[in-house]
Amino acid sequence: MTETPASAPTPREVAKLLANIGVLLELNGADAFRARAFTFAGRALEGVDADLLALARADRLTTLRGIGPGIASVVKEYVLTGRSTIYEELRTATPLGLYDLLRVPGLGPKRIHTLYRELGVDGLDALEAAIDSGAVAALPGFGRKTAAKIAQGIPFARSSRQLRRYPEAMELASRLLDWAVQLEGVLAVEIVGAIRRRMEVVDRIELLASAEHPNAVLDAFQCFQDGSLEDAQGEDEALLTLSDGVFVRFRCVPPASFVAATVWETGSAAHVEALARLASERGASFTRDGLFVRGEPVPLERESDLYERLGLAYVPPELREGLGEVERAAAGPLPPLVERTDLRGTFHCHTTASDGKASLEEMAGAARERGWCYLGIADHSRSASYAGGLSLQEVEQQRRAIERLNRRFAKDERRPFRLFWGIESDILPDGSLDYPDDVLLGFDYVVASVHSSFGMSEEEMTKRMVRAVRHPATTILGHITGRLLLTRAGYSVDVEAVLRAVAEAGVIIEINANPHRLDLDWRDVRRAAELGILIAVNPDAHSVRELDNVAFGVNMARKAGLTPRQVLNTWPLDEVSGYFAKRKRKQGG
DNA sequence: GCCGTTTTCGGCCCGACTGTTTTCAGTCG
């Protein structure tokens, strides 16, 4: 068996290890502050660009914030050997099912540990049985209502068990791709399936390879060190389950089939079905092995050739969801989708003034490094005490700081750049915003978001958000549903009613590009676009690195079929300034 | 386990909410 190529773990991988240790410690009932120290260190490392290997060798890891002697030794072992004893020990001692329990709303590490220690509950099935038997309600500190609430959350946890959010799936897929590419005889490998379509959540990783001798490659692929083999479905594929439960499908075809198979495996099923139907209408046949006319394979150089042979304009992978894109591609070329490189700035960012990790200046510098011409700062408002929301005095301080920086930027005529001064104002339970109107109207723009009282009825919540949308100061409506992918369903709200109010009030909708949110959902963004609503791709960045969240938001904008013009971030600086100024004039008058 | 102009011990973000208690623990944002 071949070893996977070894390289020193990246800071992000180390961050992930520390975060994992933090979770495992919590699940094992360790001191909460000790667990939190690992979690904190992990989070601190996420935004760090240090050479950990060099620091480890020089015993200087403790110079990093959040890392003391204890965690330094864990990091050192990991970057030098690629292994972690404490992690492996914790992992062995912890049933994998406990991770699933973390996804149950109402269950935190303390209760999970109690359930495991007292009742041996080691997963969702055991939890369900223990609730049914009444054992959970009888535990000290629990009770009938708690047991009922936990029971209610089990289906949600169960449905999200095998799923992975896009960034994690993409990272795993890239690792597998790197491994597959170097296998002997492999000519090409593509990541296909839902990941290639940039779905926000996927239930499997799918790779497609091409080789003259597919069987030999399949045999080699099955030796991936971290996987256990499943029974393969087709002759030309291998199925693996990785140790953390992720499902992998790897298919290998001869070079002549590769292009058609790429389309076939990228899917979606509905899209492929529509293509196959179209092919048969034209006297051809499109199968998982290729495109055939009278039994003869049609040679294809690239995917666009296949679409062309079917009389279609090329359909980018993000749009292949069977939502009418084939019909539209039959009518002519599809409008160009927005791209990451079209962005000239973004709007929803936090700084150290509230709960961000980077200062105003650092965030502005990072935006300029990315070639952007503007950056919108929208720190938390005063109700968000848990996030260090800005008092009226701090609002004023930030205004002056931004003006000062803008004066400095104005001196550099070759590189126009401007900070926009915004706020993420909490939408209070009654739908009002978080500062007096004259303060709100002083900002360049206001992102209005719900951060509290999630338990309202759909009717109340809709009323609350519609009222906020109609507030004259509201410029952008933040993360509309409040969902956290695989963690928490959004609150109950009538999205259609909110979108109508948004369209009427001329408010902008945010695609919150944090990969845990991706809210508003791209399916609803399609609807927003139909209503003529302008979209802002907002990273909700709490650090310099999180500015790059915009890439995930652009993925969603593309899935929604948005052109550059429909996305505020692609507008030039003077147009955005003009837009905000015009809105303010309207609000004032 | 980390941190320190409150520094080598004793805190660690904090308030709302809920359910279980009868003054508090756990979860959540």
Side-chain angles (χ1 to χ4, degrees), chain A residues 502 507-510 528 532-536 565-568 571 579:
Chain A
V502 163
V507 163
I508 297 163
I509 292 277
E510 153 181 297
I533 295 168
L534 188 59
I535 304 295
R565 199 59 205 166
Q566 291 173 293
V567 177
L568 181 69
W571 293 18
Y579 183 90

Side-chain angles (χ1 to χ4, degrees), chain A residues 1 9-10 25 31 44 100 103 105 116 152-153 210 217 241 252 289 375 392-393 468 470 511 526 539 550 556 568 580:
Chain A
M1 180 165 149
T10 63
L25 285 170
D31 174 60
D100 295 333
R103 299 186 194 236
Y116 180 51
Q152 230 177 17
S210 121
V217 172
T241 304
C252 189
D289 295 315
L375 185 74
L392 284 172
Q393 195 188 357
R470 291 186 179 147
I511 294 180
R526 282 164 53 97
V550 290
M556 297 304 106
L568 181 69
F580 286 158

Side-chain angles (χ1 to χ4, degrees), chain A residues 291-308:
Chain A
L291 182 65
F292 301 89
V293 175
R294 286 181 294 277
E296 288 298 311
V298 178
L300 302 166
E301 285 274 318
R302 53 189 72 85
E303 285 184 303
S304 54
D305 296 343
L306 187 143
Y307 287 90
E308 196 180 317

Side-chain angles (χ1 to χ4, degrees), chain A residues 3 14 30 49 59 78 106 175 178 192 210-211 255 257 350 357 367 371 402 482 497 519 537 573:
Chain A
E3 289 281 320
V14 177
D49 254 340
D59 278 324
Y78 188 55
R175 243 178 67 207
D178 290 346
V192 290
S210 121
S257 298
H350 298 270
K357 283 202 278 253
I402 286 180
D519 181 12
V537 172
L573 173 58

Side-chain angles (χ1 to χ4, degrees), chain A residues 431 461-471 494 497-498 501:
Chain A
M461 185 61 89
T462 306
K463 220 168 112 188
R464 174 185 182 183
M465 294 189 77
V466 167
R467 181 166 173 219
V469 164
R470 291 186 179 147
H471 191 291
D494 181 347
V498 173

Side-chain angles (χ1 to χ4, degrees), chain A residues 372-418:
Chain A
W372 292 346
C373 331
Y374 49 83
L375 185 74
I377 300 299
D379 267 312
H380 287 285
S381 61
R382 58 184 177 179
S383 293
S385 54
Y386 59 88
L390 272 54
S391 67
L392 284 172
Q393 195 188 357
E394 289 166 326
V395 163
E396 183 52 25
Q397 280 167 2
Q398 191 174 58
R399 183 183 66 77
R400 286 200 297 267
I402 286 180
E403 274 177 5
R404 215 163 34 237
L405 282 170
N406 275 339
R407 276 198 297 275
R408 196 201 297 168
F409 297 137
K411 286 183 194 149
D412 184 353
E413 284 175 17
R414 289 165 309 158
R415 288 271 323 268
F417 183 86
R418 180 175 164 189

Side-chain angles (χ1 to χ4, degrees), chain A residues 207-276:
Chain A
L207 295 180
L208 178 71
S210 121
E212 295 290 352
H213 304 289
N215 285 337
V217 172
L218 284 173
D219 289 344
F221 182 82
Q222 287 168 359
C223 296
F224 187 73
Q225 66 169 17
D226 192 31
S228 70
L229 199 57
E230 308 274 326
D231 289 335
Q233 275 162 354
E235 283 186 349
D236 59 359
E237 61 188 49
L239 306 178
L240 296 177
T241 304
L242 303 186
S243 61
D244 58 359
V246 177
F247 189 70
V248 179
R249 181 165 162 267
F250 178 80
R251 187 178 168 209
C252 189
V253 299
S257 298
F258 186 65
V259 171
T262 303
V263 176
W264 186 274
E265 298 298 348
T266 297
S268 64
H271 179 81
V272 169
E273 199 178 296
L275 294 183

